Amino acid sequence: MRVFLSRPLFNTTYLSARFAEKGITLTTTDSNDICSLQTLLEHAQDADALITHTEDAITAEVITALPERVKLIANYGIGFSNIDVDAATAKGIQVTNTPTEEAFHATAEATVALIVSIARQVPALNTERRNMKTDPAPSFQRPTAVSIRNKVTGVIGLGRIGSRVATMMHHGFNNKIVYFDLFQNSDMETALGAEKVALDTLCKTADFICVNMPLSADTHHLVSADMINAMQNHTVFINTARAELVDEEALIARVNRGELHGVGLDVYTDLVNDITAENVALTSHFANFEKEAYLAMTNLVAENVIGVLVDAVPATPVNSVTGEPND
């Protein structure tokens, strides 16, 4: 049995050893760059399973080109919007992801870290000092931070990550929590007094807005230009979910005009190259970039591969070729 990994992990040797115990051979590329379609399809010819990353576009066309021997596409990541799950299901290919508790915690902590960083003007202050030879002269006319305590945090998507963000902001900074979601979260309403509101209400009233919603056809550009323009001038806006959830052009135009306190983006497109505002942090899709989360994700992707190739039971399926869909 053979598995192709589209890009090396931080612990590829460990993953390879886990597979070897089960008679599975792991191959990967020598590059940390996103795997080209040509390379992916070449290696797929000899593979029983593929381990992909969220940056790999596994479209219906790619799935059609895969050989019949491929039984599994195991995504290394919480999300799986990069894979045409319907096309995979139609071809009898199992799809899995790695929704570990550690990854949820890591992304939530990164979201809160960005809120704190932007609220306290850390990116702007860092840029200012690095452009000078000595510390700036004290002046009360310089841009100031905004407090984090006793504010309103608006969570767009109060799921497994958003709920953790809400808990930290409520208990850590005494924030009132408002949220928008396609579903009611009664547990968070009971535990934190969270209030479910319309999205436009959230955008108009929250001091801190963070996007933690999964991407789907229903949520594409959910945070529209109208929603962005409804935000208060002191709003801190954070997106650690997917770039396509937000009208980036409208967001960038508004922050560049100085009409938002600042923005923290872990996910984005090349439009961010047009940002001129200083109080902006770009973290390059590294929200779950921590040793504990990556080890847990590596173990789970191994369990999914072994589960499908050896035991015929995936640990965390996202389609129903075998087992029930993962929520």
Side-chain angles (χ1 to χ4, degrees), residues 209-228:
I209 298 175
C210 55
V211 182
N212 299 109
M213 179 80 74
L215 177 64
S216 68
D218 294 330
T219 59
H220 184 270
H221 274 199
L222 178 70
V223 185
S224 64
D226 287 343
M227 295 299 171
I228 290 165

Side-chain angles (χ1 to χ4, degrees), residues 4-8 27-33 35-36 39-40 43:
F4 174 63
L5 169 64
S6 68
R7 181 157 47 88
T27 60
T28 188
T29 65
D30 295 326
S31 172
N32 284 315
D33 295 335
C35 188
S36 69
T39 299
L40 181 74
H43 284 275

